[in-house]
Amino acid sequence: MSQRISLTRYLVEQQRMEGHIPSQLRLLLEVVARACKSISQAVNKGALGGVLGTAGSENVQGEVQKKLDIIANEVLIEANEWGGHLAAMASEEMDGIYVVPNRYPQGEYLLLFDPLDGSSNIDVNVSIGTIFSVLKKPEGDSGVEESDFLQAGNQQVAAGYCVYGPQTTLVLTVGDGVAMFTLDREQGSFVLTEENMRLPEDTQEFAINMSNMRHWDTPVKRYIDECLQGKEGPRGKDFNMRWIASMVADVHRILTRGGVFMYPWDKREPEKAGKLRLMYEANPMSWLIEQAGGAATNGKQRILDIQPTKLHERVSVILGSKNEVERVTRYHSPL
Ligand code: P6P
């Protein structure tokens, strides 16, 4: 049987042949992967590890924190702070940025993450995951501050996620396509299981929380209504619906077989652009989807072109199979 390629070998070859990955970025990605392995172990223990349930606190978003949210956040901080590859980190679970302590060397990268996306699924044993995005610290003074993180998604140098499901799979891009690695628990290492992932430009599957239908804006209502009319309607084909309530799991399905994922603005909290966060959910997922031949907009513009103004900024998300995303976006800007 041909020797499977480990994540380490893949990254070394990307560094050596493609020049896409400077050594510090390779180290960063290997450290994040190791942290995801540790999180996977904790998630897999479930009740046996006493890690289920809530932590009795709220995060910066005002959401109840699960014990595993905090564990995953701590694992990522502790794994990354000493390596000398990072200047600072930002997390859904922390109000401000985490600057690498002076006792460690500072690097040139900024790491952003949602340490455990889909927390509402933890206690019911449904797939959850870690989402991460890597930016370069702007040139200039030695310090680092929150404003250094406020870069558009098109500035990312690496992005990825790890799904903790029936398999633990790490999916990442450094701008040269999308690669998937599956955790081989016998070896304790991630092994390349798919390279150059591509999603079909068309689909018959949409992902949205239908219970919010009455709150959606007209273009979204029109798109979903046309899908629900099936082959007798204007689309001329039947559609299927999936909603896992873990963006990581929904996006992984879409990367694997196509589909369109939508968490649009709705009138429940009209002052918010959407539920999902731009910097560490929408941006990394949008880059992965685009690198695999898909598209990602907020209904009006390409998500990766949005200039953030706040670290925990929210955004409306429409991403997946190119032709469907373009259709929904077109409905938002009638001629
Ligand atoms: P709802 C999980 O909390 C999350 O941030 C995404 O992973 C997921 O797609 C969405 O929220 C689910 O939201 O309103 O359906 O529970």
Side-chain angles (χ1 to χ4, degrees), residues 63 92 114 116-121 131 208-209 211-212 243-250 261 263 268 275-277 281:
E63 294 164 340
E92 178 186 88
D114 179 354
L116 209 60
D117 172 66
S119 303
S120 63
N121 285 322
I131 309 172
I208 194 166
N209 183 335
S211 69
N212 300 327
W243 188 249
I244 305 176
S246 271
M247 184 185 198
V248 176
D250 280 314
F261 172 95
Y263 212 114
R268 286 176 295 172
K275 172 178 183 183
L276 303 179
R277 291 80 175 180
E281 288 177 327

Side-chain angles (χ1 to χ4, degrees), residues 112 121 138 169 181-182 193 224 234 250-251 260 271 280 297:
L112 303 95
N121 285 322
T169 47
F181 303 84
T182 302
T193 44
I224 295 296
D250 280 314
V251 169
V260 58
E271 73 290 351
Y280 40 79
T297 77

Side-chain angles (χ1 to χ4, degrees), residues 31-46 49 51-52 67-80 91 93 111 113-117 119 122 128-132 161-165 168-170 183 185 190:
V31 169
V32 168
R34 253 198 312 280
C36 289
K37 264 195 297 187
S38 302
I39 296 169
S40 174
Q41 299 286 30
V43 167
N44 284 175
K45 283 203 174 70
V51 294
L52 301 183
K67 288 177 190 166
L68 270 170
D69 282 325
I70 295 174
I71 292 168
N73 195 60
E74 286 168 356
V75 166
L76 283 158
I77 296 280
E78 288 162 17
N80 281 285
S91 164
E93 300 304 329
L111 177 65
F113 45 83
D114 179 354
L116 209 60
D117 172 66
S119 303
I122 292 175
I128 49 185
T130 297
I131 309 172
F132 63 92
Y161 60 79
C162 193
V163 189
Y164 312 115
T168 287
T169 47
L170 178 74
L183 181 60
R185 292 192 187 280
F190 281 104

